[in-house]
Amino acid sequence: MNVTPVSDDLAANTASTLENPQLEALAAIERRVLWLATSIIHHANRVRPNTSGIKVGGHQASSASMATIMTSLWFGQLRAEDRVSVKPHASPVLHSINYLLGSLDEKYLTTLREFGGLQSYPSRAKDPDPVDYSTGSVGIGATAPIWGAISRRYIETVSGTPNRGRQYSLVGDAELDEGAVWEAVLDSNVADLGEIVWIVDLNRQSLDRVVPNIAAGKIERLFEAAGWQVITVRFGHLLESLMAMPGGEALRKRIVEMSNPEYQRLLRCSAEELRRRLPGEGAGGAAIAELIAGVEDQVLTRAIRNLGGHDLAALREAYAQIDDTRPTVIIAYTVKGNGLPTEGHPQNHSSLLTIDQYRQLAHRMGENPDAPWTRFDPASTEGQLVGVTAETLQRSAQTSVDPPSVPADFGRTPSGTATTQAALGRTLLDVTRAAPDVARRLVTVSPDVSSSTNLAGWLNKVGVWSVEERRNWFSDDTETVMHWREKPTGQHIELGIAEVNLVSLLGELGATWSRWGQPLFPIGVLYDPFVERALEPWSYGIYAGGQSILIGTPSGVTLAPEGGAHQSIKTPSIGLEQPGCTSYEPAFAIDVEWTLLASMSQLGRPDGKSAYLRLSTKPVDQQLAAVPKDPAARERRRRQVVAGGYMLLRAAATPTATIVAMGALVPEALAASERLAAQGTPVDVVCVTSPGLLYEALQGRNGQNRDAPSWILDQILPAERAVPMVTVLDGHPHTLAFLANVHQVKSRNLGVHTFGQAGGIDDVYRYHGVDTDSMVRAVLDLLR
């Protein structure tokens, strides 16, 4: 990459007028932060041995773009109760600041992207220094403070203790292309969150290029339309001083109106080139030419890159304008690679300084390239400011509350006909009666589908959460079944039709135990087909330490009349494969109760896990569950349900085959077994509740996962009853196919592998080959 020299006076690039010693010290800290961040990436790529030959990577230019903003924020604005989400590619800046503040040991500065070292992107769970929000997945980390703010407010109503601080989000301008950002910004709950502050790093570049149509004006209007306060920090004091001179208004108009690529090209120009290019061809060209003719070369090259996001004084003025009654976005104009030899280059996103460039930078900044990890003398002005900041940001030791004990069984045996979806609402109401301490920490979330997912009874019981109490104008309407009582103590949070928002909020509600020592039992409910839409933020929330329960309902082709668009096929595989999560697909109402309670008992603790339950709207005769009446036998069944499955029907004679079924197709499996028995072909029927747990058990038996108990396999698939197997589920057939490997038996695997069709349930089951006839044929084919 060809580069042009940058100004020798890097301090002047950040604050053109250093009117007091503190601001001078702040500028020195900013330069040290930039140097450390650059050095962290340089060491990982140019110094540390690399035997694989695979590029380590890092983002020196993206870090440089944020160095001023983050320095100004940490050293003068943040309070201990505030939280900050840092844009992924600025993680070296965060580590540099933490190192100066004494919260990161020097030994980690050489470990960026090394196993056990500093992570590629900020991680609450894996980084050795303080990280408020895990980021890295575009748009998700940016919006996390919004959901963190709601979670914190919710916790206030549970604990009774006010706990309020600003929630900052440092966002790259290209990240605003992500739809999840605007889904969050536009949610009706957000407009009342005055603690939200976003700072947009407007450097007008993405990974591959200068983006031609990134326009601050458009961004400003979008945020304003959503009710946010908008503060734009466009120019620094040096450039503003030029614009205050004769011809300055023409210069302002020219810079504001020029395209992003043209402006970016000016950053690569010498003073001579600037004098030729900057006036342009418009009416104000002569005035601009006359103005800059009297400006020294060095001042002119500094001025063109003196944007507000690199001016400490301008940023300080912006922070002072924040209105805490509504969300605020600060749009800070910056230069990607500010202060580096790669400054403003259109392809500098992931470029690395050469060894020579790094040493030249060290020389200009007065640093030692062979000993780069220097802290400030505590007695110096800079060292004193660092010390005061470290003391200010020191957080008090957190007092953690243990989650209340969740009951394992309410002792009720459902009868009649019921759906697993309806059992969800019934179980939540049972929790309020049998375990009020648990119920107080239970919070549900849905994207405008509360009534259609059977939460109406729960919602009527606990009310809807809102920042302030709102009048229910339908409270006296006798025909209104669902009562929408909005109040700060409500326990259901209703979002707009945005599944990404739902699971992002779930992740933050599920992290309150580690953030503020207050555990919750968050349960999110959405249509099962849309789990795929929400998969990335849901998975990222689990990665970041959020523990919650996701309910997908209704599910599968069992939702026959709805057609293929609403018939989920792949979600059982998602549940099977998602790390940090136990998936369940109950067949009966009692299975819903047991698995939901077991899942809740895993939340809000250091060794906890999330859960995913896939439910159905298919009415099922609950007598088919054959729940044992003996208390010990009932408890044995419950433990099997929670562990992954149970033998539902044990053939009186030695079985000739086993049908392994899951969820909504268990009744069809039992019908198939009855018909086969009438033909003299006895079969066992195994009801699987969690293919993921059974797979872990198999891995444990094979010695590949020593922590996974395998006892459940012995109880549902005993060796002495190992016979050919037919597996069936309302989802992709490979989900259960692995079970044939338990005893290496022949198998047929039935399920759904094509897009669905609308129709009656019998026709749809027949179309996909998961009906009773298909099961009977599959067993007989195996036995030929």
Side-chain angles (χ1 to χ4, degrees):
M1 179 184 294
N2 295 322
V3 299
T4 55
V6 298
S7 167
D8 289 340
D9 187 2
L10 294 175
N13 209 24
T14 65
S16 55
T17 305
L18 301 178
E19 65 277 345
N20 59 56
Q22 186 186 44
L23 205 54
E24 291 180 6
L26 197 59
I29 293 171
E30 182 225 352
R31 293 194 298 276
R32 182 64 55 80
V33 167
L34 174 60
W35 166 254
L36 289 170
T38 304
S39 298
I40 288 172
I41 301 168
H42 179 81
H43 189 281
N45 289 274
R46 305 292 194 199
V47 180
R48 194 170 70 217
N50 184 348
T51 57
S52 70
I54 297 174
K55 178 183 175 182
V56 176
H59 300 84
Q60 288 173 327
S62 293
S63 292
S65 184
M66 287 294 299
T68 317
I69 292 172
M70 292 178 66
T71 301
S72 67
L73 191 61
W74 260 261
F75 298 90
Q77 300 301 318
L78 291 185
R79 301 164 296 173
E81 60 267 31
D82 298 336
R83 299 292 184 270
V84 187
S85 173
V86 177
K87 81 171 190 176
H89 293 164
S91 63
V93 180
L94 176 62
H95 298 312
S96 300
I97 290 173
N98 283 337
Y99 170 65
L100 290 178
L101 292 174
S103 54
L104 179 65
D105 193 281
E106 181 179 325
K107 68 181 181 181
Y108 287 107
L109 300 183
T110 60
T111 67
L112 179 69
R113 302 189 174 202
E114 185 177 68
F115 187 81
L118 299 178
Q119 298 300 296
S120 306
Y121 310 119
S123 171
R124 287 189 72 225
K126 297 184 178 182
D127 271 317
D129 54 332
V131 174
D132 292 332
Y133 288 98
S134 296
T135 59
S137 204
V138 176
I140 296 172
T143 60
I146 288 178
W147 316 119
I150 292 177
S151 300
R152 176 179 278 185
R153 290 200 181 203
Y154 189 90
I155 281 295
E156 288 180 5
T157 67
V158 173
S159 66
T161 303
N163 183 12
R164 195 70 55 84
R166 283 181 180 167
Q167 298 277 334
Y168 290 90
S169 211
L170 308 182
V171 188
D173 52 7
E175 194 166 14
L176 295 180
D177 290 342
E178 176 57 54
V181 167
W182 298 107
E183 287 184 2
V185 167
L186 292 169
D187 191 274
S188 60
N189 288 298
V190 174
D192 295 321
L193 303 177
E195 62 266 43
I196 295 293
V197 179
W198 283 22
I199 304 175
V200 177
D201 172 19
L202 194 78
N203 59 43
R204 298 165 300 281
Q205 285 186 241
S206 63
L207 191 150
D208 294 321
R209 60 173 181 155
V210 177
V211 182
N213 295 319
I214 286 182
K218 179 175 69 175
I219 295 171
E220 290 169 0
R221 290 191 295 275
L222 287 168
F223 277 103
E224 285 172 347
W228 290 47
Q229 177 193 22
V230 178
I231 301 170
T232 301
V233 190
R234 191 184 294 272
F235 304 124
H237 286 77
L238 176 58
L239 192 50
E240 285 285 3
S241 67
L242 289 182
M243 292 175 176
M245 298 171 65
E249 282 307 310
L251 176 61
R252 182 187 301 275
K253 185 173 186 295
R254 166 81 170 119
I255 293 177
V256 168
E257 293 180 355
M258 71 172 55
S259 70
N260 291 329
E262 182 181 5
Y263 175 80
Q264 207 76 4
R265 182 63 185 89
L266 296 180
L267 300 175
R268 312 292 299 168
C269 291
S270 64
E272 181 181 353
E273 290 177 296
L274 278 174
R275 296 185 200 282
R276 186 176 68 252
R277 290 173 179 260
L278 186 54
E281 299 177 356
I288 296 172
E290 183 177 353
L291 168 62
I292 64 177
V295 178
E296 296 179 1
D297 288 355
Q298 191 179 57
V299 174
L300 182 59
T301 56
R302 278 170 25 206
I304 198 63
R305 50 179 50 81
N306 179 227
L307 299 181
H310 300 304
D311 190 303
L312 293 166
L315 288 167
R316 177 182 288 181
E317 292 165 7
Y319 300 140
Q321 299 175 46
I322 294 174
D323 175 5
D324 286 321
T325 66
R326 55 178 173 153
T328 296
V329 60
I330 297 173
I331 299 175
Y333 279 65
T334 60
V335 175
K336 196 160 188 174
N338 178 61
L340 302 182
T342 55
E343 182 176 76
H345 193 285
Q347 279 90 48
N348 67 6
H349 179 82
S350 57
S351 66
L352 300 167
L353 300 190
T354 66
I355 292 175
D356 287 343
Q357 289 172 339
Y358 178 72
R359 289 189 169 274
Q360 292 167 12
L361 180 68
H363 176 73
R364 291 199 303 273
M365 299 184 79
E367 300 286 355
N368 183 352
D370 300 315
W373 318 121
T374 305
R375 284 192 171 106
F376 291 106
D377 180 349
S380 67
T381 305
E382 295 85 356
Q384 292 177 30
L385 179 54
V386 168
V388 168
T389 300
E391 185 176 347
T392 299
L393 298 182
Q394 184 67 41
R395 292 170 182 169
S396 302
Q398 180 175 277
T399 301
S400 296
V401 175
D402 292 331
S405 179
V406 179
D409 185 357
F410 292 135
R412 178 175 52 84
T413 302
S415 59
T417 300
T419 71
T420 54
Q421 177 178 284
L424 167 65
R426 176 64 182 268
T427 301
L428 293 178
L429 290 174
D430 283 345
V431 171
T432 64
R433 290 188 284 266
D437 289 346
V438 174
R440 185 65 194 93
R441 293 181 179 272
L442 206 161
V443 53
T444 57
V445 187
S446 69
D448 199 34
V449 292
S450 300
S451 58
S452 56
T453 55
N454 280 92
L455 290 183
W458 160 258
L459 189 149
N460 288 342
K461 177 79 173 178
V462 301
V464 178
W465 180 87
S466 67
V467 172
E468 59 185 10
E469 188 160 356
R470 299 190 177 104
R471 181 173 178 179
N472 178 13
W473 290 96
F474 289 87
S475 60
D476 58 349
D477 188 336
T478 57
E479 296 183 5
T480 300
V481 176
M482 183 179 290
H483 301 291
W484 209 259
R485 295 179 291 113
E486 297 179 88
K487 52 186 179 179
T489 56
Q491 291 181 245
H492 175 77
I493 302 177
E494 187 89 355
L495 301 174
I497 305 177
E499 288 77 14
V500 170
N501 285 356
L502 176 139
V503 295
S504 296
L505 175 55
L506 269 186
E508 291 306 318
L509 289 168
T512 57
W513 66 273
S514 59
R515 286 198 195 282
W516 300 299
Q518 291 286 344
L520 293 174
F521 301 115
I523 299 176
V525 182
L526 75 167
Y527 287 174
D528 193 64
F530 304 139
V531 168
E532 294 177 56
R533 181 183 299 175
L535 178 57
E536 185 195 5
W538 176 49
S539 179
Y540 208 82
I542 295 173
Y543 166 82
Q547 299 170 8
S548 62
I549 299 172
L550 187 64
I551 309 287
T553 183
S555 63
V557 300
T558 298
L559 192 62
E562 290 286 341
H566 276 186
Q567 295 174 359
S568 52
I569 297 171
K570 296 177 288 183
T571 47
S573 304
I574 290 171
L576 172 69
E577 298 164 10
Q578 174 61 46
C581 175
T582 301
S583 64
Y584 289 109
E585 186 163 347
F588 301 104
I590 191 66
D591 298 350
V592 174
E593 176 188 310
W594 287 339
T595 56
L596 182 61
L597 293 175
S599 299
M600 289 173 61
S601 71
Q602 294 296 307
L603 302 179
R605 57 189 72 244
D607 59 345
K609 293 184 71 174
S610 293
Y612 162 48
L613 273 66
R614 189 173 187 254
L615 306 183
S616 170
T617 51
K618 179 181 177 181
V620 173
D621 180 2
Q622 298 303 301
Q623 297 299 320
L624 296 176
V627 180
K629 294 182 179 180
D630 179 80
R634 178 187 176 99
E635 174 58 16
R636 182 175 184 268
R637 166 70 69 85
R638 187 199 66 80
R639 291 181 65 247
Q640 290 176 335
V641 167
V642 171
Y646 54 97
M647 188 173 288
L648 181 57
L649 177 66
R650 187 182 182 96
T654 301
T656 56
T658 300
I659 299 178
V660 178
M662 186 166 76
L665 293 181
V666 167
E668 281 69 22
L670 289 170
S673 71
E674 184 176 349
R675 284 172 50 182
L676 286 164
Q679 301 176 36
T681 307
V683 300
D684 288 342
V685 177
V686 172
C687 178
V688 170
T689 54
S690 176
L693 289 179
L694 296 184
Y695 183 76
E696 290 178 14
L698 182 58
Q699 293 291 85
R701 170 177 288 182
N702 295 337
Q704 295 173 282
N705 183 355
R706 295 180 181 178
D707 296 330
S710 59
W711 62 267
I712 186 63
L713 297 178
D714 298 326
Q715 295 195 7
I716 67 172
L717 296 172
E720 65 273 14
R721 301 179 77 83
V723 288
M725 176 185 296
V726 171
T727 66
V728 60
L729 75 152
D730 187 355
H732 198 280
H734 87 80
T735 308
L736 298 178
F738 71 91
L739 288 172
N741 293 327
V742 174
H743 296 300
Q744 302 297 315
V745 298
K746 294 193 300 181
S747 67
R748 294 286 188 273
N749 308 115
L750 308 182
V752 181
H753 53 79
T754 61
F755 286 114
Q757 298 283 340
I761 193 168
D762 293 337
D763 293 331
V764 171
Y765 278 3
R766 190 177 306 111
Y767 172 79
H768 290 287
V770 294
D771 59 322
T772 299
D773 286 350
S774 296
M775 296 182 207
V776 171
R777 284 195 299 268
V779 169
L780 296 176
D781 286 346
L782 270 178
L783 300 178
R784 282 190 305 182

